Amino acid sequence: MTRILGIETSCDETSAAVLEGSDDDVTMRSLVILSQDVHKVFGGVVPEIASRAHLTSIAPVVTKAITEAGMSLDDLDAIAVTNAPGLVGALLVGVSYGKALAFSRGIPLLGIHHMEGHLFSAALEHRDAVPPFTALLISGGHTLLLDVEAWGRYRLLGATRDDAAGEAFDKVAKLLGLPYPGGRHIEELARSGDPAKFRFGRPMLRKNSTPDDAEHYAFSFSGLKTAVLNAVKASPDIDADKAGIARGFQDALIETLVTKTRRAAAAFGRQRVVIGGGVACNRTLALAMREALEVDGAVVFTPSPRLATDNAAMIARAAFFRYELGERAGLDLGAYATRPIPGLEAA
Ligand code: KG4
Ligand code: ZN
């Protein structure tokens, strides 16, 4: 039985979690997430403020996670910390804390890629959310479509050419005067929107419909964002049109994500689809994905909202896989703003 403490500080959540188990049989014993509300007034994350807030919270958050797991530092076998990608100053807080803790206890340290964490988050709750599967990772910073043959073997099929899916939600929310982060607010507003009033083009769907097309699995959301901006500017009564615009935007984005994921699952003969990242909180998307993939006989796994958005449990979960492979980081472990997921192969 292995016990791993996970630490996540890549953006604006300070999080720690303790997981216990072996192989694909891992139980979450505790999870503490402290979200930094301070960024709301700026309409986006301010890196320097994020680092300072992590510094203030990291020690109590880690202590709370260990206490809630009913353990002490002596019970831990390893420390896993997100070391890429993310805000470097924010990552450094978690990385430094993790290093100090591992060094002082004489236990192994592991550096985990944040997006690999998102890939593992559905597996925390669903026993069958294990490879082989098609994965769609949709967060504030990334949009990745992957074929996952086994843990650690990731074939990149498509990514976004410009804005990430979550970023598109946040930017459109800003255009509509909604709070940051805006994904949740767009989804809520879209519920009361007329689906026929604003129909935006589906980005990169028509032109790239054959598998030999280089952009068959690629995404692009900046054109859709511009279309929304034009609709906002042209509206004579934005309060009356707001919900319809949110609905039109979300429908277009969802149809693109669903179509490309369905293409990938069919092309690789996958019976399982795993969604991860903050945008996986979107229930309208999950429903549309389930309906479409069900027709093909595939099952869709989504993490619950607490595990879909940034958290340390997914980091510790990914670390179980890497720990059992024998991977260990040195005390020279660095923090990186961008870095490919380990085990990533180009399509
Ligand atoms: O994974 P995450 O917590 O942080 C990053 O690693 O970026 O994702 C945050 C993103 C934000 O862009 C937020 O607007 C989006 O997830 N999000 C949603 C919903 N809930 C959160 N997007 C659409 N619908 C939602 N219900
Ligand atoms: Zn994330």
Side-chain angles (χ1 to χ4, degrees):
M1 185 78 86
T2 306
R3 287 156 168 181
I4 298 182
L5 168 75
I7 298 174
E8 155 67 41
T9 63
S10 70
C11 192
D12 58 343
E13 263 91 27
T14 316
S15 180
V18 178
L19 270 59
E20 180 178 76
S22 59
D23 292 316
D24 275 336
D25 187 12
V26 176
T27 309
M28 188 169 85
R29 293 290 303 268
S30 68
L31 170 60
V32 178
I33 306 171
L34 195 68
S35 291
Q36 305 174 354
D37 282 339
V38 53
H39 304 286
K40 277 206 170 76
V41 8
F42 301 102
V45 177
V46 184
E48 179 65 13
I49 295 178
S51 310
R52 283 166 185 265
H54 285 307
L55 265 179
T56 316
S57 338
I58 186 78
V61 164
V62 166
T63 305
K64 191 159 190 260
I66 296 170
T67 311
E68 281 184 7
M71 298 182 195
S72 74
L73 279 172
D74 293 335
D75 297 313
L76 301 175
D77 297 297
I79 313 275
V81 59
T82 308
N83 75 316
L87 304 168
V88 171
L91 286 166
L92 270 173
V93 177
V95 168
S96 309
Y97 198 84
K99 276 182 192 175
L101 211 51
F103 178 68
S104 66
R105 309 304 300 177
I107 55 176
L109 173 74
L110 287 98
I112 299 296
H113 192 285
H114 181 80
M115 298 313 288
E116 188 172 40
H118 278 305
L119 205 54
F120 274 86
S121 65
L124 283 164
E125 297 169 296
H126 308 284
R127 281 196 150 268
D128 295 332
V130 291
F133 58 70
T134 300
L136 178 69
L137 298 184
I138 35 182
S139 69
H142 297 84
T143 303
L144 299 171
L145 186 58
L146 304 164
D147 183 64
V148 179
E149 198 181 304
W151 291 130
R153 290 191 58 190
Y154 312 124
R155 188 200 297 246
L156 177 64
L157 302 177
T160 180
R161 296 275 179 262
D162 37 64
D163 294 347
E167 191 179 357
F169 267 104
D170 296 339
K171 286 180 175 171
V172 165
K174 200 168 190 175
L175 291 175
L176 296 178
L178 301 169
Y180 173 88
R184 190 163 55 86
H185 303 285
I186 295 272
E187 183 179 17
E188 216 172 279
L189 187 61
R191 271 186 233 289
S192 57
D194 177 354
K197 196 152 181 214
F198 292 89
R199 199 189 144 80
F200 301 112
R202 274 54 179 152
M204 308 190 84
L205 276 197
R206 231 177 326 128
K207 274 191 286 181
N208 315 289
S209 53
T210 58
D212 46 312
D213 191 305
E215 312 234 290
H216 189 56
Y217 298 115
F219 302 98
S220 164
F221 299 116
S222 82
L224 178 58
K225 178 191 63 194
T226 308
V228 169
L229 174 65
N230 292 338
V232 170
K233 279 188 184 154
S235 167
D237 182 357
I238 190 62
D239 282 335
D241 284 341
K242 234 177 177 168
I245 294 176
R247 175 66 186 261
F249 159 75
Q250 186 175 264
D251 283 354
L253 186 132
I254 288 178
E255 192 178 322
T256 309
L257 293 175
V258 169
T259 306
K260 301 235 167 179
T261 307
R262 198 176 174 189
R263 280 179 187 172
F268 290 85
R270 302 302 182 207
Q271 301 296 301
R272 290 185 282 254
V273 169
V274 167
I275 313 182
V279 185
C281 293
N282 191 292
R283 304 224 317 257
T284 320
L285 164 68
L287 192 67
M289 196 68 87
R290 283 206 171 92
E291 276 174 6
L293 271 299
E294 219 167 64
V295 176
D296 307 335
V299 191
V300 178
F301 297 98
T302 51
S304 58
R306 187 165 157 81
L307 296 173
T309 49
D310 291 351
N311 69 86
M314 66 183 197
I315 301 304
R317 181 62 189 83
F320 264 88
F321 163 68
R322 302 238 158 242
Y323 179 83
E324 280 163 13
L325 277 184
E327 289 186 17
R328 306 290 185 261
L331 290 176
D332 57 350
L333 178 71
Y336 306 92
T338 56
R339 211 162 223 224
I341 304 182
L344 194 72
E345 307 157 16

